[in-house]
Amino acid sequence: AQSVTQLDSHVSVSEGTPVLLRCNYSSSYSPSLFWYVQHPNKGLQLLLKYTSAATLVKGINGFEAEFKKSETSFHLTKPSAHMSDAAEYFCVVSGAMNRDDKIIFGKGTRLHILP
Amino acid sequence: SAVISQKPSRDICQRGTSLTIQCQVDSQVTMMFWYRQQPGQSLTLIATANQGSEATYESGFVIDKFPISRPNLTFSTLTVSNMSPEDSSIYLCSVAGISYNEQFFGPGTRLTVL
């Protein structure tokens, strides 16, 4: 069984300061992990993905995430927030390439950027 | 990646009516998925639609309420039947990438039921 927990429903940071969005997962075997972003009234966009290669994953728009197996975490970070980063972010876990392994979405974290 | 379009982008419907949402992909894909995103919530998988077979529904979703068609490898429809205000949500279709566990999403259909 798999699950994913996004620890914060809302995060507020000032423009130009670092961003940290936390995600913990649970999986019976080596998972694939993803971060998606959803801007208001827009579709979901893949930010980055981890699929058992390098544990530090770089994505689009300056975001990156580190897979830490010992902590079962996959936190999303960005060194310097921009106003355009304000959006909803979803952490997603998926199991092996098997259609019986459902893709599980976290509840989402809304990122607010303060001027 | 795949380019996915959905029609309509949004609609406002009356209670008791039905709405069919279309999902078109720019390439042939085996697996297509339909999700619901209720207001302020995360995404919940409704069903998986494979071409040539009946859709597989997740717990809590039934074919009578959400009939799905998958006539070919680039197209699918989801119908929301006998709608009630509780059906007001964003409905998204997605397709699996080269690896099943990576998905590409359509822009969504925002449904409001009065």
Side-chain angles (χ1 to χ4, degrees):
Chain A
Q2 300 175 127
S3 67
V4 60
T5 302
Q6 291 184 242
L7 296 160
D8 307 293
S9 58
H10 292 266
V11 169
S12 295
V13 302
S14 297
E15 188 175 21
T17 64
V19 174
L20 170 64
L21 304 183
R22 298 183 294 167
C23 174
N24 286 99
Y25 71 91
S26 172
S27 179
S28 302
Y29 29 72
S30 297
S32 295
L33 293 157
F34 307 81
W35 276 99
Y36 285 87
V37 60
Q38 186 178 37
H39 286 93
N41 300 313
K42 296 283 183 64
L44 282 160
Q45 181 181 21
L46 180 66
L47 272 180
L48 49 80
K49 61 180 178 181
Y50 166 78
T51 54
S52 77
T55 56
L56 181 61
V57 182
K58 293 187 183 300
I60 63 172
N61 301 336
F63 284 94
E64 61 182 41
E66 186 172 7
F67 174 72
K68 292 186 177 180
K69 187 175 182 179
S70 61
E71 299 176 10
T72 61
S73 69
F74 190 59
H75 300 334
L76 181 70
T77 61
K78 182 174 180 177
S80 177
H82 190 273
M83 293 301 291
S84 61
D85 295 327
E88 188 87 18
Y89 291 79
F90 294 98
C91 182
V92 178
V93 64
S94 175
M97 288 187 286
N98 179 335
R99 71 177 300 274
D100 292 331
D101 297 323
K102 297 298 185 290
I103 293 172
I104 307 296
F105 276 75
K107 292 187 180 299
T109 298
R110 182 164 295 276
L111 178 62
H112 305 271
I113 309 297
L114 308 173
Chain B
S1 65
V3 177
I4 303 167
S5 60
Q6 287 185 233
K7 289 182 182 179
S9 59
R10 59 178 61 227
D11 208 342
I12 300 173
C13 301
Q14 295 297 320
R15 181 196 299 261
T17 62
S18 298
L19 176 72
T20 295
I21 302 168
Q22 300 178 5
C23 179
Q24 181 75 51
V25 189
D26 68 342
S27 57
Q28 294 185 338
V29 293
T30 302
M31 303 180 76
M32 295 180 75
F33 308 90
W34 286 98
Y35 288 84
R36 180 176 73 182
Q37 186 179 21
Q38 294 176 299
Q41 303 293 316
S42 186
L43 277 74
T44 302
L45 181 64
I46 297 171
T48 302
N50 293 333
Q51 197 271 334
S53 63
E54 286 192 5
T56 302
Y57 289 83
E58 298 300 304
S59 175
F61 297 97
V62 295
I63 188 171
D64 289 346
K65 176 67 175 176
F66 297 101
I68 288 171
S69 78
R70 184 79 202 275
N72 57 52
L73 291 173
T74 64
F75 186 78
S76 178
T77 67
L78 170 76
T79 298
V80 186
S81 303
N82 188 25
M83 289 184 285
S84 66
E86 291 71 34
D87 294 320
S88 298
S89 296
I90 299 172
Y91 292 86
L92 300 102
C93 70
S94 74
V95 302
I98 295 175
S99 62
Y100 157 74
N101 53 20
E102 178 178 354
Q103 295 190 4
F104 302 96
F105 287 85
T109 295
R110 184 178 294 272
L111 171 62
T112 301
V113 184
L114 303 177

